[in-house]
Amino acid sequence: MKHLLKTDKSGFTFIEVLLAITLFVIAAVVAVDLVRGSVRATQDLKDVTVATWLLKKTITELETKVESQGFDRACDKKKEGKFDPPYEKFSWITNCHQIDFKLSQSAAALTSGGDDKDSDRPAQENQLQKMVLNVAGDYISKSMREIHAEVRWIQGKKTPRVVDVTTHLARFDQPLTLPALGVPTN
């Protein structure tokens, strides 16, 4: 009869089961949160990759247009728009600006070896040098453009994102404008 009164204590208590379930739920919540963050990071990376590809496409199209049509017809100061589906969440902006090269004053000082006042050169030679530098500066300015392009989108629900690039184009087929040369009357 002694063995009938003996109780078996080899199972789990209610507290142990409750603690195990709590730990499992916490681990599951952390795992789900990690997976959600990983999915969000993957989507963000996908958006950056698509935006970079669209940016490369946009700048290449603009460069090709400038090469085929010239600066006057293809180089707009500012232009913007949206991409067609499936990229409608992305928009673009392009800018094209002439680069202003001013060579005359600083270049003349460098080539003369100092101030023009201390120079032994005749005034006519200095004027000719300045005229040549002005013509060269104007020609380089007409021949160079700075092109900037951006692709914008909203990341997630409200974070604005941008990828951009700036490049320079040179077209040395521009007409050369020479000033009228005055002939001295000596």
Side-chain angles (χ1 to χ4, degrees), residues 19 35 38 40-43 47-49 56 70-71 92-93 109 119-120 124-125 129 158 166 172:
L19 183 61
V35 168
S38 177
R40 189 172 33 250
T42 301
Q43 182 59 44
D47 286 348
V48 170
T49 302
K56 183 177 179 180
F71 289 139
W92 55 270
I93 299 172
S119 176
D120 292 335
Q124 185 178 8
E125 185 179 332
Q129 183 181 35
K158 57 185 174 181
T166 300
F172 294 111

Side-chain angles (χ1 to χ4, degrees), residues 1-7:
M1 216 134 142
K2 280 189 171 183
H3 69 299
L4 290 175
L5 294 176
K6 193 175 181 187
T7 58

Side-chain angles (χ1 to χ4, degrees), residues 6-114:
K6 193 175 181 187
T7 58
D8 190 13
K9 294 196 176 204
S10 63
F12 295 105
T13 65
F14 178 71
I15 297 294
E16 290 172 332
V17 170
L18 191 58
L19 183 61
I21 290 173
T22 302
L23 288 174
F24 176 76
V25 168
I26 290 173
V29 168
V30 168
V32 166
D33 208 30
L34 285 173
V35 168
R36 194 175 316 148
S38 177
V39 168
R40 189 172 33 250
T42 301
Q43 182 59 44
D44 292 351
L45 183 59
K46 179 182 173 193
D47 286 348
V48 170
T49 302
V50 168
T52 304
W53 175 76
L54 290 169
L55 179 64
K56 183 177 179 180
K57 179 178 179 279
T58 300
I59 199 79
T60 301
E61 287 173 356
L62 183 56
E63 287 172 340
T64 303
K65 187 176 174 185
V66 168
E67 284 295 321
S68 65
Q69 297 179 9
F71 289 139
D72 294 336
R73 292 180 51 210
C75 201
D76 298 317
K77 291 270 186 211
K78 184 176 182 181
K79 199 170 181 182
E80 53 188 288
K82 288 189 130 320
F83 290 99
D84 294 331
Y87 308 112
E88 62 272 0
K89 83 181 215 175
F90 298 93
S91 62
W92 55 270
I93 299 172
T94 59
N95 297 297
C96 186
H97 300 283
Q98 182 172 322
I99 300 171
D100 193 18
F101 284 91
K102 295 291 182 192
L103 298 175
S104 62
Q105 299 302 325
S106 54
L110 288 173
T111 59
S112 69

Side-chain angles (χ1 to χ4, degrees), residues 112-152:
S112 69
D115 281 341
D116 286 339
K117 296 173 190 168
D118 300 331
S119 176
D120 292 335
R121 294 182 202 181
Q124 185 178 8
E125 185 179 332
N126 287 337
Q127 289 298 334
L128 180 62
Q129 183 181 35
K130 286 182 182 179
M131 182 189 67
V132 168
L133 292 171
N134 278 332
V135 168
D138 289 343
Y139 182 74
I140 293 171
S141 292
K142 289 178 187 175
S143 300
M144 298 288 293
R145 295 294 185 276
E146 179 177 276
I147 297 176
H148 180 80
E150 300 180 352
V151 172
R152 299 171 175 257

